[in-house]
């Protein structure tokens, strides 16, 4: 066991997050598009490896009370938090276990969904191999696992920046502050207009955005070991697993994609893995959320009818500029902002666009990261409930000063002033009473906050 990694997670709290791409609903939709039909989520068995304080798995378990969840982590302090939160919020379908990936004995073939987000690149080689074996042993015949990891060559410049930040941090100039070291580079690169200078600055900005706590675990973590996609494929094949596709089917840097690149890479279609590696190289991709399954799982291309039963949610606003088919589809998607809509329902709301154009437009927007496929529909909530009430899990997260999680499983960082207002949303006060508790000058802002939170599905409906 790597003592440094273990002591870091034992002594410091990893910044708790939920990850929409690591949601079984997103995994199921992407798996289907790659030809694998996974068991239905409502009564599935789900395993999360490296669950930390359970921030990712608890909202999912709460939403699917008939599914069974197991979550392991070797940090006893993180598991203690997870157990406390589950017990205080009466979430009884998750078993949290303090265990090391290397020696935990899993019941063979038990799990339909296995999630390992943020683990592979942050552990040593022995642990990497153990994680892959665990996925293989845990998966049910039609099950799917999602493993996220940092990829090369996208991470190369980030690794150099991490090394420089480490070195600079301990100088008298930065006095032990990681953020001061990053600021140093930001300042130095600010006026560079050459492509290399701008590229480096974009990396400094992206790293800074993660915030000081996440950087200590990620970029400056005791182990941060990105790999090439082809290397990952080699590892999983050696372990007896098959690559399916990505849970996040959107390009990480869509702006870097040109029609010429697409045309060039399409020439590599006979070797799809090399094609993907070439795309990683040309787009500077840094992160993958790869889906894997048993090599003998039953596979069959999805039918149009099955795709129509999937749902889409908007990740980025899509511009509408005219009357083309794309504009009509974008306009039809607009009312479902902050929700997800069944592809079939969306199609029925559009006139004069044929099936083929419609589906190819959706796929294009998914590849450009504007849309994401999921397998569950969450239609937008219409009116504010009479007595706004956050669910018990989010009430507790708010009290504990953690991110709250919306209906689409997206984390939502709440500013301190807003947290005060939201902490009063426990169902005991009506909307008007809530407003009257605050000064008249702030009521407009409160109204906007409550409307926004309602649109994100944060309130229980009456
Ligand atoms: C970077 S954090 C990721 C947490 C969470 N999955 C996420 O993505 O937000 C890695 C987690 O893996 C756990 N971990 C690392 N090595 C492990 C091992 N050998 N066995 C079990 N858990 C381990 C750590 O304790 C930590 O909670």
């Amino acid at each position: 066991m790597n003592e440094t990694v273990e002591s870091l997670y034992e002594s410091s709290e990893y910044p708790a997050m939920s990850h929409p791409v690591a949601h079984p609903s997103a995994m199921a939709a992407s798996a289907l598009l790659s030809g694998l039909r996974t068991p239905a989520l409502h009564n599935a068995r789900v395993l999360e490896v490296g669950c930390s304080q359970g921030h990712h798995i608890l909202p999912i378990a709460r939403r699917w009370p008939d599914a069974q969840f197991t979550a392991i982590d070797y940090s006893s302090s993180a598991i203690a938090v997870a157990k406390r939160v589950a017990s205080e919020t009466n979430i009884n379908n998750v078993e949290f276990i303090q265990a090391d990936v290397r020696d935990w004995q899993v019941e063979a073939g038990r799990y339909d969904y296995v999630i390992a987000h943020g683990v592979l690149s942050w552990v040593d080689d022995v642990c990497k191999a153990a994680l892959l074996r665990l996925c293989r042993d845990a998966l049910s015949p039609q099950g799917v696992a999602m493993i996220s990891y940092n990829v090369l060559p996208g991470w190369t410049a980030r690794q150099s920046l991490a090394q420089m930040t480490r070195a600079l941090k301990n100088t008298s100039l930065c006095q032990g502050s990681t953020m001061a070291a990053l600021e140093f580079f930001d300042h130095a690169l600010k006026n560079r207009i050459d492509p290399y200078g701008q590229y480096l600055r974009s990396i400094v900005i992206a790293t800074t955005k993660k915030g000081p706590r996440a950087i200590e675990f990620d970029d400056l973590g005791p182990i941060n070991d990105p790999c090439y996609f082809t290397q990952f494929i080699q590892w999983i094949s050696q372990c007896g697993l098959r690559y399916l596709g990505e849970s996040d089917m959107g390009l990480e840097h869509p702006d870097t994609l040109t029609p010429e690149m697409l045309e060039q890479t399409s020439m590599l279609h006979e070797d799809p893995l090399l094609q993907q590696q070439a795309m990683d190289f040309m787009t500077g991709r840094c992160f993958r959320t790869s889906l894997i399954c048993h090599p003998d799982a039953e596979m069959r291309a999805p039918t149009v009818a099955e795709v129509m039963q999937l749902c889409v949610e908007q990740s980025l606003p899509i511009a509408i500029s005219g009357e083309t088919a794309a504009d009509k589809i974008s306009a039809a998607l607009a009312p479902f902002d902050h929700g997800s809509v069944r592809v079939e329902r969306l199609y029925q709301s559009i006139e004069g666009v044929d099936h083929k154009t419609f589906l190819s437009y959706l796929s294009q927007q998914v590849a450009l990261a504007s849309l994401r496929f999921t397998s569950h529909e969450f239609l937008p909530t219409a009116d504010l409930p009479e007595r706004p009430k956050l669910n018990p899990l989010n009430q507790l997260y708010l009290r504990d000063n953690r991110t709250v999680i919306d209906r689409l499983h997206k984390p939502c960082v709440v500013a301190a002033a807003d947290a005060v207002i939201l902490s009063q949303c426990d169902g005991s006060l009506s909307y008007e009473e809530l407003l009257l508790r605050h000064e008249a000058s702030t009521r407009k802002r409160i109204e906007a906050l409550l409307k926004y939170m309602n649109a994100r599905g944060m309130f229980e409906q009456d």
Side-chain angles (χ1 to χ4, degrees), residues 177-229:
S177 160
T178 301
M179 298 322 265
L182 286 168
E183 238 172 72
F184 171 90
F185 288 115
D186 185 46
H187 194 74
L189 294 164
K190 203 182 242 139
N191 296 321
R192 290 268 297 267
I193 51 164
D194 58 298
Y196 182 64
Q198 293 201 335
Y199 169 61
L200 280 187
R201 182 147 188 254
S202 72
I203 290 169
V204 173
I205 292 172
T207 309
T208 307
K209 257 196 198 152
K210 293 183 190 176
R213 276 183 64 216
I215 293 173
E216 294 308 321
F217 288 91
D218 189 4
D219 305 59
L220 302 188
I223 297 179
N224 186 337
D225 186 21
C227 65
Y228 283 96
F229 172 63

Side-chain angles (χ1 to χ4, degrees), residues 254-394:
D255 299 352
T256 56
L257 192 69
T258 63
E260 292 74 27
M261 265 167 62
L262 273 181
E263 204 183 309
Q264 269 310 102
T265 41
S266 68
M267 290 189 216
L268 299 174
H269 67 93
E270 278 173 18
D271 188 341
L273 299 182
L274 180 61
Q275 190 176 11
Q276 293 219 31
Q277 180 67 78
M279 284 293 274
D280 279 8
F281 167 61
M282 288 189 284
T283 61
R285 183 179 195 143
C286 292
F287 192 64
R288 278 186 173 267
T289 52
S290 295
L291 296 177
I292 53 184
C293 67
H294 283 301
D296 48 4
E298 196 194 317
M299 306 278 291
R300 202 164 16 94
T303 61
V304 170
E306 284 174 312
V307 177
M308 294 301 265
Q309 286 311 306
L310 289 179
C311 302
V312 279
E313 62 186 52
Q314 233 171 305
S315 343
L316 298 170
I318 304 174
I320 304 169
S321 51
E323 271 296 305
T324 63
D327 290 320
K328 286 186 188 171
I329 302 169
S330 309
L333 271 164
F336 302 103
D337 197 16
H338 298 303
S340 64
V341 55
R342 205 161 291 290
V343 172
E344 187 169 49
R345 189 193 298 276
L346 184 69
Y347 183 63
Q348 282 163 358
S349 70
I350 303 166
E351 275 177 17
V353 179
D354 64 85
H355 248 119
K356 206 168 158 227
T357 312
F358 171 71
L359 288 178
S360 82
Y361 177 78
L362 289 192
S363 307
Q364 181 206 51
Q365 292 304 316
V366 167
L368 292 174
S370 300
L371 291 181
R372 173 176 297 149
F373 281 117
T374 72
S375 51
H376 290 90
E377 188 173 53
F378 293 113
L379 294 175
T381 341
D383 300 320
L384 254 175
E386 173 53 28
R387 292 175 179 273
K389 183 182 179 192
L390 288 176
N391 72 50
L393 189 58
N394 276 335

Side-chain angles (χ1 to χ4, degrees), residues 8 10 42 63 116 128 168 185 197 205 208 216 246 266 278 347 396 398 407 413:
L8 174 70
E10 199 58 68
H42 72 92
R63 170 71 182 76
K128 282 186 181 66
L168 228 78
F185 288 115
I205 292 172
T208 307
E216 294 308 321
E246 298 296 306
S266 68
Y347 183 63
L396 188 148
L398 210 58
R407 172 181 41 202
V413 181

Side-chain angles (χ1 to χ4, degrees), residues 29-57:
S30 298
L32 173 72
L33 293 169
S34 297
L36 179 79
R37 284 148 191 82
T38 52
L41 175 55
H42 72 92
N43 58 358
R45 288 169 167 176
V46 182
L47 169 67
E48 188 184 12
V49 183
C51 65
S52 196
Q53 306 112 10
H55 212 78
H56 177 68
I57 213 74

Side-chain angles (χ1 to χ4, degrees), residues 5 9 14-15 17 19 48-52 72-75 78 99-102 117-119 122-123 127 217:
V5 175
Y9 287 106
Y14 183 75
M17 276 291 157
H19 307 282
E48 188 184 12
V49 183
C51 65
S52 196
I72 73 163
D73 200 291
Y74 71 6
S75 162
D100 191 320
V101 164
R102 270 173 271 206
H117 190 277
V119 184
W122 295 268
V123 293
C127 199
F217 288 91

Side-chain angles (χ1 to χ4, degrees), residues 427-438:
S428 63
L429 299 174
S430 71
Y431 177 58
E432 281 72 26
E433 285 166 338
L434 263 166
L435 290 181
L436 287 173
R437 286 215 161 183
H438 299 269

